[in-house]
Amino acid sequence: MPSRLDDRLAAARAEGRAALVGYLPAGYPTVDGAIAAMRAMVAAGVDVVEVGLPYSDPTMDGPVIQQAADAALRGGLTTRDVLRTVEAVADTGAPTLVMTYWNPIEQHGVAAFAADLAAAGGAGTITPDLPPEEAAPWLEAAAAHGLDPVFVVAPSSSTERLRRVADITGGFVYAASLMGVTGARSQVGTQAEGLVARVRAVTSLPVAVGLGVGTAAQAAQVAAFADGVIVGSALVRVLLDAQRRGEGPEVALAGIGALAADLAQGVRGAQANVPVTA
Amino acid sequence: MSTRTAVPAASADAAGAAPSLLTGVQAAAGWQAFPDASGHFGKFGGRFVPEALMAALDGLTEAYAQARVDDAFIAELDDLLASYAGRPTPLTDARRLTEHVGGARILLKREDLAHTGSHKINNVLGQVLLTKRMGKSRVIAETGAGQHGVATATACALLGLDCVVYMGEEDTRRQALNVARMRMLGAEVVPVTSGSRTLKDAINEALRDWVATVEDTHYCIGSVMGPHPFPMLVRDFQRVIGVEARAQVLERTGRLPNVVVACVGGGSNAMGIFHPFIPDTEVALIGCEAGGDGVATGRHAAAIAGGAPGVLHGMRTYLLQDEWGQTQVSHSISAGLDYPGIGPEHALLHETGRATYRVVDDTAAMEALALVARTEGILVAIESAHAFAAAIEVARELGPEATLLINCSGRGDKDVDTAARWFGLLDEPADADPAGTAAAAGTAEGGGQR
């Protein structure tokens, strides 16, 4: 049976466009502030939301996401707050995934986390430091609760590993556009298109591209060859900048809405008219 | 005694593999079952890393599997260990310390006398040779106290490789001497300002570098930790300590020691000396975790005594973490032990009971450091002083018939500033206190963010 995530990706495809996946960490600048920003993102055209679970040792994240995650943790954020965030965002109808390093799930209890995430209305997870070799307990728990377990592939993945990852992935395959950590870059990695083609050769699952995509023009470029475009750091940057300038939450939300709208145009093949990154 | 002949069980190698520092006793022990093919030590270890690194870890595993049975590689490593690093390191009878304690005969394995001043060079030489073998030209490393960073910078200078060392900003300030040493050796030292600015964050930063540079870069991890194959690789390169020490103790005393004691941060010096003794079940193995201000205060680095199993830095092991799985900041006066985890094979040794782990707090370690300096004329590293503190207790429990072997893992020159403050030996500070108590409290507080 197709999941909500499957349906949303299929709907985008039916419109002849890529889906837009937006990431923000829970708890930044506050739990409620993050919820408002995520809902603003959905209102402006983001199809799928990734709720980041801030973690003390985010080895796959660049400075922008680290900074927001550190602030969220200093503010006392817990996994319970993340689940509350999922519930509030899933209420919009957008499929909502939790992006998390593995240890917070393990400490919450693998089965308990799956049950709690499903109860909050979550659609699945993205677990970038959980390779297929270690994934069996999570796959079982996710399946028991109808959650899509999304896994990441990289330009360095062999064909055999692409197959192995695709075999256990639900929803879409997350293709990292480059070898590196999260963060907006001036150009989309040149390896992205080739990686998407290699993934398509081993699976019929949709393929979404993340890492280094931050502008409408880049979104349009990726949308031309992928089924989904994932944007994280560029959105987080809007919140960080608003905080740094001492701007009120309404300004930050307007900024998130403007960037998300621009990106939504991008995945529809339109070029941005407005410069978007700070 | 040459390094090669220091391998006593080579001829008894049950697997019949080429006798070498890498395979000797391990194959005879049956303990080679760990890690299993997927890199697990029982339920510990494994590989929890982004997919981007999996190909590199597979490549490293394969390169090492070939190198460890390649006579040319083994000969080159053995030669560097002997002619460059100064192996075998001596075994010292600590006569005045033994007399002072009034218990077991205390023997010291003198890794402090290895080139660069600690056991770290053993592992680094092996990994840097592997780096060249894999055709990579750049090496990155993390360091806490700076000893692994200095050893890595040294080996890279020797073999002509580019070297970048990540070090928590707090540690670069406190271990300024080692920062200068690394730079003298041609390494780039990058102060890490993210997270808690300590060793764990230096590892995070090194991993971020590696994901982006893995094609031409090797990450030279400094302890028996991280994703497979690192815990195995580093153990194998460090077990020369135990192979030598076992033969030296037998030669010196005619029997095996009753107890082997070593300090444990990530646990490479302990694993190095423990591993060849694992089959000798009559030999007790004792690891010493850093107790900081005491486990009860929450300000410590004792992952086994005060932590729980979890996943960090690519491995499942005992960790200091909160109920949500967020890593907690560790505390120890010793920068080299100030890490919230422990190598996965130690977690297994603990669970199986083959080794036991004790906690030594800052005060006990510093008292041992002073005692060893005055009785033996050896200024040991604060890390190693943790082993001495526990060993003194154990020696008393054992009594004079017994023999106790301590891994004296490093020299304490880098710690003179910390020790001088702790004991109030400096003329300058306005708060100098003859009893040393005020200065001690101030140092412990100021040293919290290591």
Side-chain angles (χ1 to χ4, degrees):
Chain A
M1 193 181 78
S3 67
R4 276 166 297 164
L5 182 56
D6 296 332
D7 288 343
R8 182 59 60 102
L9 293 165
R13 182 177 281 183
E15 291 175 23
R17 66 173 177 93
L20 177 60
V21 182
Y23 166 99
L24 283 173
Y28 186 82
T30 62
V31 176
D32 288 334
I35 289 171
M38 291 177 203
R39 293 176 69 109
M41 199 159 83
V42 174
V46 162
D47 298 291
V48 176
V49 177
E50 280 180 34
V51 176
L53 193 159
Y55 177 55
S56 52
D57 296 276
T59 52
M60 278 146 274
D61 286 307
V64 169
I65 290 177
Q66 282 176 46
Q67 201 183 329
D70 283 353
L73 290 173
R74 276 198 304 275
L77 177 107
T78 70
T79 303
R80 233 192 299 274
D81 298 317
V82 175
L83 291 165
R84 176 160 80 82
T85 303
V86 169
E87 191 161 16
V89 176
D91 265 357
T92 63
T96 305
L97 306 167
V98 169
M99 171 98 163
T100 180
Y101 293 85
W102 176 245
N103 200 44
I105 292 183
E106 186 160 301
Q107 301 310 317
H108 191 91
V110 172
F113 187 83
D116 290 349
L117 179 56
T125 55
I126 304 172
T127 47
D129 64 344
L130 184 69
E133 290 84 348
E134 306 283 354
W138 178 241
L139 294 177
E140 190 184 324
H145 292 278
L147 299 169
D148 280 321
V150 175
F151 290 87
V152 182
V153 295
S156 62
S157 300
S158 65
T159 301
E160 186 196 334
R161 288 201 65 85
L162 291 180
R163 196 172 282 124
R164 189 161 184 188
V165 173
D167 277 351
I168 60 169
T169 288
F172 61 87
V173 175
Y174 187 131
S177 69
L178 47 79
M179 297 292 286
V181 295
T182 59
R185 287 164 174 85
S186 58
Q187 290 187 315
V188 176
T190 53
Q191 296 162 300
E193 189 165 0
L195 177 59
V196 170
R198 289 173 58 222
V199 176
R200 290 201 196 288
V202 300
T203 180
S204 56
L205 280 171
V207 187
V209 170
L211 296 197
V213 185
T215 67
Q218 290 171 334
Q221 186 192 338
V222 171
F225 59 82
D227 305 299
V229 178
I230 304 169
V231 179
S233 293
L235 290 159
V236 179
R237 166 71 75 189
V238 171
L239 296 181
L240 287 172
D241 285 347
Q243 191 82 0
R244 183 168 48 79
R245 295 190 197 112
E247 293 164 351
E250 66 291 338
V251 178
L253 292 183
I256 289 287
L259 175 53
D262 226 23
L263 293 165
Q265 280 195 312
V267 297
R268 287 166 175 81
Q271 294 292 315
N273 297 317
V274 193
V276 283
T277 44
Chain B
M1 180 163 71
S2 85
T3 337
R4 289 297 287 267
T5 56
V7 184
S11 58
D13 187 340
S20 83
L21 292 173
L22 297 180
T23 52
V25 180
Q26 183 188 354
W31 194 255
Q32 79 276 19
F34 297 107
D36 64 19
S38 59
H40 292 89
F41 300 87
K43 69 181 186 193
F44 302 106
R47 258 185 203 173
F48 294 84
V49 295
E51 177 61 26
L53 290 179
M54 292 301 275
L57 293 172
D58 281 341
L60 179 61
T61 304
E62 179 58 30
Y64 175 60
Q66 290 174 9
R68 63 177 299 181
V69 293
D70 177 343
D71 288 343
F73 179 85
I74 292 165
E76 192 175 3
L77 178 57
D78 283 357
D79 177 61
L80 282 179
L81 289 173
S83 68
Y84 185 74
R87 305 209 69 87
T89 56
L91 184 76
T92 298
D93 239 299
R95 293 196 180 85
R96 293 194 65 228
L97 179 62
T98 298
E99 194 180 318
H100 178 92
V101 170
R105 176 179 178 184
I106 298 172
L107 299 169
L108 311 180
K109 179 59 175 167
R110 300 293 304 280
E111 292 301 298
D112 58 314
L113 295 178
H115 182 42
T116 70
S118 81
H119 70 290
K120 293 293 186 188
I121 193 74
N122 305 329
N123 163 49
V124 164
L125 287 173
Q127 287 204 47
V128 168
L129 284 183
L130 264 184
T131 303
K132 289 203 82 151
R133 194 182 167 94
M134 291 185 292
K136 295 185 173 185
S137 58
R138 179 174 175 267
V139 172
I140 57 173
E142 83 292 343
T143 198
Q147 291 303 96
H148 175 60
V150 167
T152 306
T154 298
C156 286
L158 177 70
L159 294 171
L161 297 167
D162 292 335
C163 179
V164 176
V165 179
Y166 290 95
M167 190 170 186
E169 193 186 43
E170 292 289 334
D171 292 336
T172 61
R173 254 201 299 275
R174 291 180 318 99
Q175 307 276 345
L177 185 68
N178 271 345
V179 174
R181 284 174 81 191
M182 289 183 267
R183 289 182 173 149
M184 289 287 298
L185 292 159
E188 181 189 346
V189 180
V190 181
V192 174
T193 57
S194 60
S196 62
R197 305 179 182 207
T198 63
L199 175 57
K200 86 171 175 68
D201 304 284
I203 295 169
N204 292 343
E205 213 54 47
L207 285 167
R208 291 179 189 120
D209 179 317
W210 204 31
V211 172
T213 60
V214 67
E215 197 142 318
D216 71 346
T217 297
H218 175 65
Y219 179 16
C220 183
I221 288 186
S223 193
V224 287
M225 51 153 290
H228 178 67
F230 284 107
M232 171 182 76
L233 196 72
V234 179
R235 173 198 73 195
D236 288 358
F237 288 138
Q238 289 292 1
R239 62 192 303 286
V240 62
I241 304 170
V243 169
E244 287 176 6
R246 191 175 179 282
Q248 288 167 321
V249 173
L250 278 172
E251 189 183 308
R252 184 81 53 91
T253 70
R255 58 192 174 98
L256 291 171
N258 298 77
V259 180
V260 180
V261 186
C263 65
V264 183
S268 71
N269 92 78
M271 192 53 66
I273 199 165
F274 285 176
H275 200 261
F277 287 101
I278 287 173
D280 304 316
T281 49
E282 71 273 30
V283 179
L285 308 174
I286 299 177
C288 305
E289 297 191 290
D293 295 343
V295 172
T297 67
R299 293 172 50 82
H300 62 90
I304 284 180
V311 171
L312 177 67
H313 292 151
M315 60 182 166
R316 179 176 285 113
T317 189
Y318 280 82
L319 299 178
L320 303 183
Q321 55 185 326
D322 68 15
E323 62 177 307
W324 308 106
Q326 307 285 348
T327 311
Q328 289 180 318
V329 177
S330 57
H331 296 273
S332 169
I333 190 167
S334 151
L337 303 183
D338 202 346
Y339 180 66
I342 185 169
E345 194 164 10
H346 283 292
L348 177 66
L349 288 176
H350 164 68
E351 289 238 323
T352 59
R354 180 61 191 94
T356 53
Y357 294 82
R358 295 190 177 203
V359 178
V360 174
D361 66 20
D362 288 352
T363 304
M366 294 308 285
E367 282 171 4
L369 183 131
L371 179 64
V372 175
R374 285 175 207 151
T375 55
E376 294 296 330
I378 302 172
L379 189 53
V380 303
I382 297 176
E383 289 79 11
S384 318
H386 286 72
F388 280 87
I392 288 164
E393 281 181 26
V394 174
R396 289 199 179 107
E397 294 162 17
L398 289 172
E401 298 307 309
T403 306
L404 182 151
L405 172 66
I406 302 175
N407 194 5
C408 184
S409 57
R411 58 190 292 159
D413 303 52
K414 69 188 175 62
D415 297 318
V416 167
D417 190 50
T418 304
R421 282 174 210 274
W422 179 275
F423 293 111
L425 303 179
L426 299 175
D427 293 332
E428 289 300 307
D431 63 344
D433 166 8
T437 48
T443 305
E445 191 57 42
Q449 288 292 314
R450 276 169 218 200

